[in-house]
């Protein structure tokens, strides 16, 4: 189809014609722009581009639901959808499209409300040291420890109606209970953590939607006992699948050995616990960590290998190939294989989402539609969001759909260009060389497009960018596509026959090659750079520009430059805090006299929390960097340090030290209750952290201390911890204006603050290095 002309012929000449007044020129410009818009909108209508905007409206409805301060009524969304549907039947043209968009937004809002009501289950409201009885649903092995998913049947001092549906419990050693066992153990449990940083990753909300009501670690070994009754059917099925996954993980890891074996097993079973942390760091630095999480790449490669293998096999049988639709047969078999792969690899959120996308693409083949189309991607997004509305808030959903959408849009541009530039005739050898060159250029172009598409989400959620990820993916992904995944499919199919050994060896060579690439790229200076907190407005502008670009097919897509220009205009240096305090008030970062952050901690600093704080604050150091302790003096009573303007800060853990530090420090942080001898103008005590959680402190003058907190006492959502009575605390307020515990009896109705987004929670020390807990694992 020919490209539309932007204006009528001669319009530009008319505007530039001498002798015209300003009014005439303006009228001509208006007519030209209007003609351009009308022509391109007509072409977009022919392309049916409006359908692509339906999941956008659905997602906006979901975001509106999660932005509410109080839990909406279940009937609110359906009622709005019904009213909009009735109005839809009476409208035409643009009003009809607007009504349809509002209908989809109302449907998204209703989906969020119904999903919350469906998964709601009790969550612990305090720390406990209790005996727990229950069935083991799943077990993940790590180096020297295990992590169990437990379905409790009884807990000491907890009524049956208040039992969490699931608990996640860590335990030392790797020879503990197995999936399906009924166990009795002593455990130290805590409620799922709130965000550890204002604007941080809301682990408590994620745990709520996974029906996990508590986390912790076992004290002593777990006892296996005879169950009091038959386990639920879903638990027995999940436990059986998990046993098979663990057995295959062990088989592959032993056959290949080392990190190559651990990574090979993770690519098939989704069990990532045996991969060493240095290897994880190399993969992150090279931009290849997405390979570890089973998602779109793995699903497409696995389904593709099955599709092409079965189609080639059937094509070799003339009686079948000439009489039967072998392409549809191959697509059906690939759909079955992809579904089995999703179930066997753990049925994680990212894997389920990738399965839905793959099934829609393969299903298009069954009904004689193009497989790779933006319309199919829109259908996939609608299914995923309707099934799991909370996934819209996570980086996995955003990054996977952004990458695929940009790849489809780039493919459309390439096909249109190719249609207008037919290839000249070439000889056999020249044609082969040309196709080979195009294949390598295609890999490089795909990597560049996917990297650019996911960069805003990586910076927003993980505060890191990998500038050399293009090199890592260009060299590593061909090994995954040509060696690793075909071997993974073949090896899995040969396991029942005991003929898989040689296949795992071949797969190990491919994975080892990818790890060599990862180590080389990660060793380059500045292979991983930090991106401090991105403001919500900046992130929204980038996402808006991306949606406009991928949703439109005519030259209207260049309207995406408008939000990009606005992003550049408002771009500025991030406003970094002077102090960051964790929700327990036992650890903090202060911005010292050298303008770098230094850690203050009662006991050993949590590496897990530090590894998420530092990138968010633009600090490229690791959590184990010795310089983090510079300029801070700590003992059993607490820590003393100085801010960049010379003011003294104290983190206090003992009452006797609190009296002393209140007299000499400019600001005091403590997990203890405040005392009368301490000036309220300079202390953040237990009552503050109970109400408001983790806190960022920024200073301008001696009395102008501005606070940002993670908790909002006025928020009432099912996954949110109910804080104690609290006063009005603006998002940026002076410490002197914060009333003490004795002065506050009633909660304030509002608590304006910046909205929380995704980063990392606090966890017990024994679980702090668990890679499955971080957003990166998605």
């Amino acid at each position: 189809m020919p490209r539309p002309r932007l204006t009528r012929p001669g319009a530009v000449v008319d505007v530039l014609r001498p002798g015209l007044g300003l009014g005439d020129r303006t009228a001509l410009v208006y007519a030209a722009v209007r003609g351009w818009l009308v022509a391109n909108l007509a072409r977009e209508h022919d392309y049916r581009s409006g359908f692509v905007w339906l999941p956008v409206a659905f997602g906006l409805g979901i975001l509106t639901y999660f932005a509410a301060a109080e839990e909406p009524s279940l009937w609110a969304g359906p009622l709005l959808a019904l009213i909009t549907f009735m109005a839809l039947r009476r409208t035409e043209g643009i009003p009809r499209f607007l009504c349809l968009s509002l209908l989809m937004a109302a449907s998204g809002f209703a989906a969020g409300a119904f999903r919350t009501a469906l998964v709601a289950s009790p969550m612990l409201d305090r720390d406990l040291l209790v005996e727990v009885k229950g069935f083991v649903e799943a077990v993940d092995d790590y180096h020297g420890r295990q992590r169990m998913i437990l379905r409790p049947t009884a807990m000491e001092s907890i009524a049956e109606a208040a039992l969490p549906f699931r608990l996640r419990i860590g335990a030392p050693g790797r020879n503990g209970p197995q999936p399906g066992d009924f166990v009795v153990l002593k455990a130290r449990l805590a409620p799922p953590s709130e965000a550890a940083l204002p604007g941080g990753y809301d682990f408590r909300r994620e745990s709520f939607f996974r029906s996990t009501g508590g986390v912790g670690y076992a004290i002593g070994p777990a006892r296996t006992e005879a169950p009091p009754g038959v386990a639920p059917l879903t638990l027995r099925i999940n436990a059986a699948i998990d046993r098979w996954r663990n057995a295959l993980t062990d088989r592959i890891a032993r056959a290949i050995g080392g990190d190559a074996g651990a990574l090979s097993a993770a690519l098939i079973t989704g069990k990532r616990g045996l991969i060493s942390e240095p290897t994880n760091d190399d993969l992150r630095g090279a931009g290849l960590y997405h390979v570890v999480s089973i998602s779109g790449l793995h699903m497409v490669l696995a389904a593709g290998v099955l599709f092409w293998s079965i189609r080639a096999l059937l094509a070799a049988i003339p009686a079948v190939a000439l009489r039967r639709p072998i392409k549809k047969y191959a697509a059906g078999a690939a759909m079955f294989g992809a579904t089995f792969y999703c179930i066997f690899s753990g049925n994680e959120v990212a894997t389920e989402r990738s399965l839905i996308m793959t099934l829609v693409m393969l299903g298009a083949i069954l009904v004689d539609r193009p497989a790779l189309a933006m319309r199919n991607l829109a259908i996939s997004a609608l299914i995923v969001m309707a099934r799991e509305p909370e996934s819209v808030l996570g980086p996995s959903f955003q990054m996977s759909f952004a990458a695929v959408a940009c790849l489809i849009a780039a493919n459309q541009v390439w096909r249109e260009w190719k249609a207008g530039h037919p290839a000249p005739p070439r000889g056999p050898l020249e044609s082969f060389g040309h196709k080979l060159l195009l294949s390598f250029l295609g890999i490089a172009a795909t990597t560049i497009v996917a990297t650019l598409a996911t960069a805003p989400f990586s910076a927003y959620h993980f505060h890191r960018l990998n500038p050399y990820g293009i090199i890592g993916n260009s060299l590593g992904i061909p090994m995954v596509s040509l060696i690793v995944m075909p071997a993974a499919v073949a090896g899995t199919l040969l396991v029942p026959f005991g003929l898989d050994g040689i296949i795992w060896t071949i797969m190990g060579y491919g994975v080892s090659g990818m790890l060599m690439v990862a180590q080389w790229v990660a060793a380059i200076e500045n292979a991983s750079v930090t991106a401090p907190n991105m403001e919500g407005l900046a992130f929204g502008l980038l996402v808006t520009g991306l949606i406009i670009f991928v949703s439109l097919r005519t030259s209207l897509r260049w309207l995406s430059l408008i939000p990009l220009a606005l992003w550049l205009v408002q771009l500025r240096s991030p406003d970094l805090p002077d102090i960051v305090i964790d929700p327990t008030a036992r650890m903090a970062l202060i911005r010292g006299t050298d303008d770098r952050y230094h850690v203050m901690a009662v006991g050993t600093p949590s590496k897990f929390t530090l590894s998420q704080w530092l990138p968010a604050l633009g600090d490229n150091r690791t959590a184990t960097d010795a310089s983090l302790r510079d300029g801070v003096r700590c003992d059993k009573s607490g820590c003393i340090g100085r801010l960049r303007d010379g003011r003294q800060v104290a983190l206090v853990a003992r009452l006797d030290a609190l009296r002393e530090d209140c007299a000499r420090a400019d600001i005091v942080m403590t997990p203890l209750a405040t005392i009368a001898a301490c000036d309220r103008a300079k202390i953040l005590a237990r009552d503050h952290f109970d109400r408001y959680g983790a806190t960022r402190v920024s200073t301008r003058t001696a009395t102008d201390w501005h606070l940002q907190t993670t908790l909002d006492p006025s928020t009432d959502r099912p996954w949110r911890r109910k804080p104690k009575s609290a006063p009005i605390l603006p998002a940026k307020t002076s410490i002197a204006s914060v009333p003490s515990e004795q002065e506050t009896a009633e909660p304030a109705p509002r608590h304006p603050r910046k909205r929380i987004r995704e980063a990392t929670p606090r966890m017990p020390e024994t679980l702090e290095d668990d890679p499955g807990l971080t957003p990166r694992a998605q």
Side-chain angles (χ1 to χ4, degrees):
M1 189 177 291
R3 294 175 59 88
R5 285 177 289 186
L6 302 185
T7 62
R8 65 178 178 80
V12 175
V13 176
D14 290 344
V15 173
L16 298 178
R17 192 172 59 202
L20 291 178
L22 179 61
D24 293 331
R25 295 184 192 276
T26 302
L28 285 173
V29 169
Y30 170 77
V33 172
R34 185 177 182 278
W36 174 74
L37 284 174
V38 170
N40 283 284
L41 285 173
R43 287 178 57 82
E44 293 290 351
H45 182 269
D46 294 338
Y47 285 131
R48 298 178 135 186
S49 300
F51 185 85
V52 181
W53 288 90
L54 297 184
V56 177
F58 195 90
L60 288 175
I62 293 173
L63 293 177
T64 303
Y65 165 78
F66 281 104
E70 297 182 359
E71 186 62 22
S73 300
L74 274 177
W75 53 263
L79 178 62
L80 178 60
L82 177 62
I83 295 173
T84 310
F85 177 74
M86 295 174 64
L88 183 66
R89 303 173 60 184
R90 302 173 180 270
T91 56
E92 296 292 340
I94 293 180
R96 183 181 181 85
F97 178 75
L98 294 177
C99 281
L100 184 59
S101 300
L102 183 58
L103 173 63
M104 295 305 296
S107 301
F109 190 94
F114 280 109
R115 169 69 172 170
T116 299
L118 183 65
V119 303
S121 61
M123 304 183 81
L124 297 181
D125 59 0
R126 64 188 186 278
D127 293 357
L128 298 170
L129 178 59
V130 295
E131 183 180 80
V132 183
K133 298 180 180 180
F135 291 96
V136 179
E137 186 173 14
V139 174
D140 291 323
D141 287 328
Y142 294 85
H143 291 285
R145 59 191 174 90
Q146 287 183 326
R147 188 185 69 181
M148 295 181 289
I149 303 298
L150 200 67
R151 292 258 197 110
T153 58
M155 288 176 61
E156 188 180 353
S157 74
I158 300 293
E160 184 177 355
L163 281 178
F165 186 74
R166 288 189 179 93
L167 296 172
R168 190 165 66 191
I169 299 176
R174 290 183 53 192
N175 297 314
Q178 297 303 308
D181 289 347
F182 183 82
V183 298
V184 179
L185 54 85
K186 197 82 169 180
R188 186 178 297 278
L189 301 174
S193 303
E194 306 282 353
L197 188 71
Y201 169 68
D202 197 342
F203 177 59
R204 188 178 176 91
R205 184 184 61 211
E206 180 188 337
S207 297
F208 173 84
F209 283 101
R210 293 190 178 191
S211 299
T212 302
V215 296
Y217 53 94
I219 306 295
R223 254 183 5 261
T224 302
E225 293 185 355
V230 179
L233 177 61
T234 56
L235 187 146
R236 283 180 281 153
I237 294 173
N238 292 342
I241 293 173
D242 199 65
R243 286 196 299 271
W244 297 339
R245 293 173 65 204
N246 288 337
L248 185 57
T249 298
D250 186 67
R251 185 186 185 102
I252 298 171
R254 288 178 181 273
I256 299 175
D259 278 329
L263 181 54
S264 298
L267 294 176
I268 297 175
T269 67
K271 299 281 187 175
R272 302 187 293 265
L274 299 180
I275 305 174
S276 68
E277 196 55 35
T279 297
N280 284 325
D281 290 338
D282 288 340
L283 291 169
R284 292 182 187 114
L288 285 168
Y289 194 76
H290 63 92
V291 173
V292 178
S293 176
I294 297 177
S295 54
L297 173 67
H298 310 74
M299 196 63 66
V300 168
L301 290 176
V305 168
L306 285 172
F307 176 81
W308 292 111
S309 299
I310 293 174
R311 190 179 183 187
L313 180 64
L314 295 177
I317 307 173
V320 177
L322 296 175
R323 294 179 176 84
R324 301 294 180 185
I326 61 173
K327 183 178 180 180
K328 294 184 179 182
Y329 289 174
M335 293 172 74
F336 176 80
T339 303
F340 176 80
Y341 183 32
C342 177
I343 295 172
F344 189 76
S345 62
N347 218 24
E348 294 289 340
V349 175
T351 314
E352 289 181 356
R353 181 165 52 256
S354 304
L355 172 66
I356 292 172
M357 293 172 62
T358 304
L359 292 181
V360 171
M361 301 296 180
L362 292 171
I365 296 176
L366 296 180
V367 294
D368 299 315
R369 296 286 184 179
L372 191 65
M374 198 70 74
R375 190 181 184 88
N376 293 342
L377 186 67
I379 294 172
S380 303
L382 284 172
I383 296 173
V384 170
M385 288 189 292
R387 187 176 182 275
E388 294 174 337
E390 71 277 6
S391 65
V392 176
L393 302 173
S396 181
F397 174 92
Q398 297 170 10
M399 295 177 77
S400 59
F401 275 98
V404 176
C406 285
L407 289 173
I408 293 176
N411 182 61
Q412 291 170 348
V413 173
W414 163 249
R415 290 171 61 184
E416 290 175 1
W417 182 89
K418 191 176 179 181
H421 299 78
R426 294 186 178 91
L429 185 61
E430 186 182 6
S431 178
F432 174 78
H434 181 72
K435 290 181 179 178
L436 186 64
L437 177 61
L438 285 181
S439 298
F440 283 105
L441 290 177
I443 293 174
T446 299
T447 302
I448 293 172
V449 170
T451 300
L452 293 177
T454 56
F457 305 95
S458 180
Y460 183 75
H461 291 290
F462 308 130
H463 318 296
R464 286 193 181 276
L465 294 172
N466 304 108
Y468 301 111
I470 293 175
I471 300 175
N473 282 274
S474 297
L475 298 177
I477 295 303
M479 299 183 196
V480 177
S481 304
L482 301 177
I483 302 175
V484 175
M485 289 310 296
V489 173
T492 303
L493 295 175
L494 290 175
V495 166
F497 304 97
L499 302 175
D500 54 315
I502 184 63
I503 304 298
W504 302 137
T505 301
I506 296 172
M507 184 178 181
Y509 289 145
V511 172
S512 297
M514 185 186 67
L515 290 178
M516 289 177 61
V517 170
Q519 291 169 2
W520 173 65
V521 175
I524 301 175
E525 187 177 1
N526 293 324
S528 179
V529 296
T530 57
N533 273 0
M534 183 188 295
E535 295 290 337
L537 174 61
F539 180 63
L541 290 172
L542 290 176
V543 173
T544 300
L546 187 145
I547 291 174
I548 293 173
F549 182 80
V550 302
S551 300
L552 303 175
R553 295 190 59 177
T554 65
S555 54
L556 286 174
R557 66 175 17 148
W558 298 114
L559 293 175
S560 60
L561 295 176
I562 296 176
L564 182 61
L566 293 175
W567 171 74
L568 290 173
V569 168
Q570 64 85 50
L571 197 62
R572 56 186 174 85
S573 299
D575 183 18
L576 298 177
D578 292 290
I579 306 172
V580 179
I581 316 162
D582 85 332
T584 66
R586 293 184 173 274
M587 188 175 80
L589 281 180
I590 65 169
R591 202 170 175 188
T593 54
D594 58 355
D595 208 31
R596 302 181 78 191
Y597 284 102
H598 304 282
V599 65
M600 308 173 75
V602 178
T604 304
S606 170
K607 292 184 293 183
F608 186 73
T609 302
L610 282 176
S611 65
Q612 303 303 317
W613 276 1
L614 292 171
L617 300 172
D619 196 319
N620 210 30
R621 290 175 291 176
T622 64
T624 57
D625 195 308
S627 64
L628 287 170
R629 287 286 197 176
D630 294 347
V632 174
R633 291 177 293 145
C634 294
D635 55 27
K636 293 182 179 180
S637 299
C639 299
I640 291 289
R642 290 193 178 275
L643 297 178
R644 52 180 176 162
D645 59 3
R647 296 184 193 137
Q648 193 173 76
V649 181
L651 178 67
V652 188
R654 294 175 59 172
L655 187 59
D656 55 345
L658 181 59
R659 294 188 178 92
E660 180 183 349
D661 288 330
C662 277
R664 65 181 183 181
D666 295 289
I667 183 169
V668 177
M669 308 162 289
T670 179
L672 306 173
T674 189
I675 58 176
C678 207
D679 184 359
R680 281 194 304 104
K682 61 180 183 181
I683 186 170
L684 293 174
R686 184 177 63 201
D687 59 316
H688 169 86
F689 296 101
D690 284 345
R691 295 164 181 165
Y692 303 111
T695 302
R696 288 167 50 124
V697 182
S698 301
T699 67
R700 293 181 182 174
T701 66
T703 58
D704 192 12
W705 299 77
H706 297 279
L707 307 183
Q708 292 174 279
T709 62
T710 56
L711 293 184
D712 181 351
S714 68
T715 298
D716 184 17
R717 305 305 298 269
W719 56 85
R720 190 61 66 227
R721 175 172 65 86
K722 303 301 184 292
K724 298 178 180 179
S725 298
I728 296 176
L729 177 62
K732 293 187 177 180
T733 186
S734 168
I735 290 180
S737 67
V738 181
S740 67
E741 189 171 7
Q742 291 78 13
E743 293 175 309
T744 58
E746 295 296 330
R750 295 297 301 163
H751 171 53
R753 59 170 174 79
K754 290 189 177 179
R755 191 175 164 204
I756 291 178
R757 62 180 173 80
E758 315 281 331
T760 301
R762 170 185 59 84
M763 289 296 298
E765 288 290 323
T766 57
L767 297 180
E768 67 174 6
D769 296 321
D770 184 349
L773 301 179
T774 65
R776 292 180 182 178
Q778 300 181 25

